[in-house]
Amino acid sequence: MPSAPVVHDSVCPLDCPDTCSLAVTVADGRVIAVDGSRRNPFTDGYICAKVRRFPERLYGPGRVLYPLRRAGAKGSGLFERISWDEALDLVAERLAAVAARWGAEAILPYHYGGSNGLLNEDGADARFFHLLGASHLDKTICAVPTGVAVRALYGGMVGVPIEDYVHARCIVLWGVNPAATSIHTLQHVQAARRAGAFVIVVDPRRTRTARIADLHLRPRPGTDAAVALGVARLLFERGLADTDFLAAHATGVDEFRTAAAVWTPERVAQVSGVAAADLDAFARAWAAASPAVLRCGWGLERNRNGVDSVRAVLALPAVAGKFGVRGGGFTMSMSGAFGLDKAALQRPDLRPRPVRSVNMTRLGRALTELDDPPVKALFVYNANPVASTPDQNRIVAGLLREDLFTVVHEQVMTDTAVYADVVLPATTVFEQEELHKAYGQTWLQHSRPVVAPVGEALDNVTLFRRLAARMGLGSDELFDEAALATAAVGAEAAALVRRDGVLRIRPGGADEVVQFGTVWPQTADRR
């Protein structure tokens, strides 16, 4: 007799700033529906269409159900089923052989965090590869230019929470399209606009977000720095810059003003295509409003001048003195709000010796050109580089090398998995325990399995614990989920979030985030 449906709490695993809490309906041991829950107040019960279709990933024909060993030519997609014991023995034996012959740096892990939280990405896996002494992967494929810019300007100061946008009288959305990529942000922007906020969107495309704006600037791709410097020039030129704030809290003001001075409205228009009248309207609206907040996205970093563009854009709140009031300042990634102790979680001290770093965007060259030692074993998880990493042809050429041993731990048979020597079945978020931080809001979340693993799938924590045991690396305690959570966020936060499922993080210990009020630049002089 069929069992009655039961609704379980969970968390969305997709690479999105919002990190929604989910209500997952299970019947007869299968997920039958995914909806939003109100457990996370920020996401407040509604979700996008993408995650609603997640059951298709759990139970679709592409799901990897059992460990597989290559049974044909590389890339043929021909595999034979083997047991977990056979698979783990084979992987452990081949990794040990590579380390013995070439050194452990000939082993390269390749991974990214789009579908995993703190336990299954850069947690147990990092500890395993550190114990092994494998090459370090430099995860540069996303948000590095923006991260460099934020640290350079503000030392990683926590951003304005999206919930506080309701207080703002001017909101700038620059290089971001929340209608498609952060739907709860759009909700707060629309609420602020109904309350009288002036909304400016800077985006080359006429997006759905741009259609709700009071002012839409459409710069040519790669010209964002020119537009931002042009706005800064107008602020200085017209006496709209907050010179008192700059004198008290900023360095390099004269140099920045000089750099901006050459960007006249006419030159900006010529370079970027943004009309002088629109540049003027931006400067006037930004200067006049208080609070005013600028939401910088990741779109403008995808250029050779990405760092400088973001630096110029994020300087505008300082030039106009928009700090010191709730709802005023800027928002970039909110990841820093969680106070994550990466060293305690990842344990780089476990490395037997210093190791080289490999830039993930240069995987193709690493597989085909790197020497001393060459990459002889590749371990891919939480990623699909054939589909998502630059230089695809060179990556494929590397994966076709007969002397390269490739392991792929994956939920479905991806473009990369077909080139593997061993494919290991991986769990989804609904089949594993996970600790979730966000980069668009400040609620820490915890989720537990809501269904048993499909087939013989294993989560990353279990996989690397078993591999470590087979290879005589470390101890089981290094791969304990509760201990990993405690290492990441501290004992108190880990206990509370594991108990309640959700925990509000208060940066600086204050109930309100006020830049240059309750939170400050993480620089030596707080400037």
Side-chain angles (χ1 to χ4, degrees):
M1 182 175 180
S3 61
V6 178
V7 178
H8 299 270
D9 288 312
S10 193
V11 180
C12 179
L14 302 183
D15 189 2
C16 166
D18 294 16
T19 315
C20 297
S21 59
L22 302 178
V24 182
T25 303
V26 175
D28 297 319
R30 289 173 63 91
V31 173
I32 61 172
V34 178
D35 206 343
S37 83
R38 298 187 181 276
R39 188 168 73 165
N40 179 352
F42 178 78
T43 59
D44 197 31
Y46 68 96
I47 57 174
C48 70
K50 295 186 286 289
V51 72
R52 290 185 187 277
R53 299 182 61 179
F54 205 81
E56 296 175 26
R57 185 176 183 88
L58 266 74
Y59 307 118
R63 187 74 194 267
V64 179
L65 300 175
Y66 313 105
L68 303 171
R69 178 172 54 203
R70 179 165 62 90
K74 285 204 170 192
S76 66
L78 297 176
F79 296 94
E80 61 183 1
R81 179 180 174 181
I82 57 177
S83 70
W84 263 111
D85 282 337
E86 290 175 297
L88 292 172
D89 286 344
L90 174 59
V91 172
E93 177 185 327
R94 292 295 298 272
L95 294 183
V98 167
R101 171 66 179 83
W102 299 94
E105 286 178 282
I107 301 167
L108 176 65
Y110 193 95
H111 54 108
Y112 204 72
S115 296
N116 287 273
L118 296 173
L119 304 184
N120 287 277
E121 168 64 28
D122 271 340
D125 53 310
R127 294 181 174 198
F128 172 79
F129 287 111
H130 288 154
L131 285 163
L132 188 58
S135 288
H136 170 73
L137 184 74
D138 195 5
K139 296 168 68 176
T140 58
I141 207 163
C142 180
V144 171
T146 47
V148 168
V150 172
R151 289 191 295 274
L153 265 72
Y154 299 106
M157 179 172 63
V158 173
V160 176
I162 301 299
E163 301 98 309
D164 284 354
Y165 279 31
V166 69
H167 302 293
R169 298 302 86 191
C170 180
I171 299 173
V172 177
L173 303 173
W174 199 312
V176 65
N177 179 24
T181 60
S182 180
I183 58 176
H184 302 88
T185 293
L186 187 65
Q187 175 197 26
H188 290 285
V189 171
Q190 289 174 315
R193 190 170 185 269
R194 289 192 294 270
F198 188 84
V199 176
I200 303 172
V201 171
V202 185
D203 194 312
R205 301 180 304 126
R206 185 68 174 169
T207 63
R208 181 183 158 204
T209 301
R211 289 195 290 271
I212 73 165
D214 298 288
L215 176 64
H216 178 201
L217 276 60
R218 302 182 68 175
R220 298 186 182 102
T223 64
D224 300 270
V227 177
L229 290 170
V231 172
R233 181 187 189 276
L234 290 175
L235 295 174
F236 283 118
E237 184 181 67
R238 295 176 179 173
L240 300 175
D242 190 334
T243 55
D244 290 340
F245 175 86
L246 293 171
H249 299 291
T251 57
V253 177
D254 291 340
E255 293 90 336
F256 180 78
R257 184 170 186 167
T258 299
V262 300
W263 289 99
T264 63
E266 295 73 24
R267 186 183 180 195
V268 172
Q270 181 182 15
V271 170
S272 71
V274 173
D278 288 341
L279 198 72
D280 178 78
F282 184 120
R284 290 185 183 278
W286 180 245
S290 183
V293 64
L294 189 152
R295 172 55 160 127
C296 184
W298 292 266
L300 60 162
E301 78 170 7
R302 316 296 192 192
N303 292 281
R304 292 183 184 275
N305 65 347
V307 173
D308 284 341
S309 293
V310 176
R311 288 171 64 199
V313 169
L314 291 182
L316 295 179
V319 173
K322 297 306 178 184
F323 297 114
V325 59
R326 187 178 183 186
F330 75 90
T331 308
M332 192 67 235
S333 172
M334 299 296 289
S335 295
F338 293 86
L340 177 66
D341 190 337
K342 291 184 179 180
L345 175 62
Q346 300 171 11
R347 295 292 306 276
D349 59 293
L350 295 172
R351 290 174 178 149
R353 65 190 65 83
V355 301
R356 69 182 175 191
S357 288
V358 176
N359 188 326
M360 71 184 310
T361 62
R362 296 175 64 84
L363 176 64
R365 292 191 179 276
L367 294 179
T368 58
E369 299 176 7
L370 199 62
D371 201 0
D372 195 28
V375 176
K376 289 292 185 176
L378 179 70
F379 203 122
V380 179
Y381 58 99
N382 299 351
N384 180 15
V386 170
S388 61
T389 303
D391 207 359
Q392 183 188 63
N393 290 338
R394 194 177 266 112
I395 292 172
V396 170
L399 291 172
L400 288 171
R401 285 172 38 206
E402 287 298 331
D403 65 328
L404 177 71
F405 178 66
T406 302
V407 181
V408 175
H409 186 218
E410 188 50 273
Q411 300 163 1
V412 297
M413 187 59 68
T414 63
D415 313 76
T416 305
V418 298
Y419 293 95
D421 295 286
V422 176
V423 179
L424 304 174
T427 51
T428 68
V429 69
F430 297 149
E431 304 157 294
Q432 66 191 32
E433 181 178 352
E434 194 53 274
L435 183 65
H436 310 259
K437 68 179 180 65
Y439 61 97
Q441 44 99 348
T442 57
W443 292 86
L444 183 68
Q445 298 178 85
H446 179 263
S447 63
R448 301 184 186 278
V450 301
V451 290
V454 174
E456 296 180 1
L458 288 183
D459 60 85
N460 287 350
V461 178
T462 303
L463 169 62
F464 289 112
R465 179 170 59 238
R466 291 186 181 180
L467 268 179
R470 268 177 165 74
M471 299 184 72
L473 300 172
S475 61
D476 282 355
E477 289 74 19
L478 284 172
F479 303 93
D480 175 76
E481 283 90 345
L484 288 166
T486 297
V489 297
E492 181 180 6
L496 289 173
V497 76
R498 283 169 64 88
R499 183 193 70 189
D500 300 333
V502 63
L503 177 67
R504 182 188 174 193
I505 300 299
R506 290 176 168 82
D511 286 337
E512 297 180 1
V513 171
V514 178
Q515 293 179 323
F516 289 87
T518 62
V519 297
W520 296 82
Q522 301 299 299
T523 55
D525 57 5
R526 301 212 302 184
R527 293 171 70 89

